[in-house]
Amino acid sequence: MTIEQALHTRSESKCELCGATENLAAFMVPPSGDDSVDQSILACAVCRAQMDDPEQMDPNHWRCLNDSMWSQVPAVQVVAWRMLNRLRGEGWPQDLLDMMYLDDETQSWAEATGDHLSDDEVVRHLDSNGAVLEAGDTVTLIKDLNVKGSSLTAKRGTAVRNISLVPDNPEHIEGRVEGQQIVILTKFVKKQK
Ligand SMILES: [Zn+2]
């Protein structure tokens, strides 16, 4: 019996993560020294694509982990734990993680790839010196800035109080200069202590 056949038997020919029954193939759970059945799961094309490429991640697809995280198969537990960690910025995955229990051996395996350390989900705004900016901070401009769409030049040394952070862009903050709300690049500011 091949690995894939053995996986089909174990999973009753369903994706062990989301339950899909189409486009199934073995997925070796890294880092796996050998491609044994114990170190593999049967996963559909959608799950495999998103495990391989975080750029394709669709958080809602992984609501399926709500069920599959309770699998008795350590390899499935490991994948569920890693994906929940990658998605924990969404909120609900953290709640599931809090309920999850892995035995010591499975836990070490799950941590081996460092998914729980990744902070890709967290957008941090850093000033020109690498200091973390927070909403409400006061920053100083470190060069003269021409404000787009106006004749206004924001002078070097101008203090901008009570900044706000542009949520989706770590390089942008907003603040008021001479009564006008403008977008400022974080690399042109210094946080005031
Ligand atoms: Zn799937």
Side-chain angles (χ1 to χ4, degrees):
M1 194 155 66
T2 66
I3 286 181
E4 202 142 310
Q5 285 167 334
L7 289 173
H8 272 274
T9 306
R10 182 175 83 192
S11 66
E12 299 174 324
S13 295
K14 288 188 200 123
C15 173
E16 290 184 279
L17 300 170
C18 76
T21 53
E22 309 222 311
N23 300 318
L24 300 172
F27 176 87
M28 271 187 293
V29 181
S32 53
D34 60 300
D35 48 0
S36 66
V37 172
D38 287 344
Q39 305 216 4
S40 306
I41 63 171
L42 194 67
C44 70
V46 176
C47 286
R48 277 181 283 126
Q50 296 189 39
M51 285 189 283
D52 286 337
D53 181 6
E55 298 280 305
Q56 296 191 33
M57 188 87 92
D58 168 16
N60 275 330
H61 175 75
W62 296 98
R63 299 252 177 196
C64 61
L65 295 175
N66 215 341
D67 293 321
S68 46
M69 65 184 256
W70 304 109
S71 165
Q72 298 300 308
V73 179
V76 176
Q77 296 172 6
V78 164
V79 171
W81 189 87
R82 287 179 185 166
M83 296 311 285
L84 289 171
N85 268 288
R86 284 194 207 170
L87 291 163
R88 65 184 183 278
E90 300 282 320
W92 59 265
Q94 185 64 56
D95 296 340
L96 296 184
L97 278 172
D98 291 345
M99 288 190 282
M100 207 170 173
Y101 173 79
L102 303 182
D103 64 42
D104 289 347
E105 197 182 334
T106 310
Q107 183 76 36
S108 324
W109 180 11
E111 289 177 7
T113 51
D115 288 81
H116 59 302
L117 301 175
S118 137
D119 61 357
D120 288 350
E121 305 294 323
V122 183
V123 176
R124 292 163 85 213
H125 293 68
L126 304 177
D127 77 0
S128 54
N129 293 324
V132 176
L133 296 170
E134 290 169 12
D137 280 349
T138 298
V139 298
T140 310
L141 304 182
I142 60 167
K143 65 176 287 223
D144 289 355
L145 300 177
N146 293 313
V147 179
K148 262 196 201 134
S150 82
S151 57
L152 181 69
T153 300
K155 289 269 182 246
R156 175 166 182 232
T158 303
V160 183
R161 285 169 227 291
N162 195 23
I163 60 163
S164 52
L165 308 178
V166 176
D168 296 326
N169 191 335
E171 293 177 349
H172 287 176
I173 59 172
E174 283 186 22
R176 201 164 269 283
V177 174
E178 294 191 21
Q180 200 172 335
Q181 186 79 4
I182 61 170
V183 172
I184 307 168
L185 293 176
T186 52
K187 65 182 173 191
F188 295 141
V189 305
K190 199 173 83 168
K191 177 173 172 145
Q192 270 188 17
K193 303 270 153 51

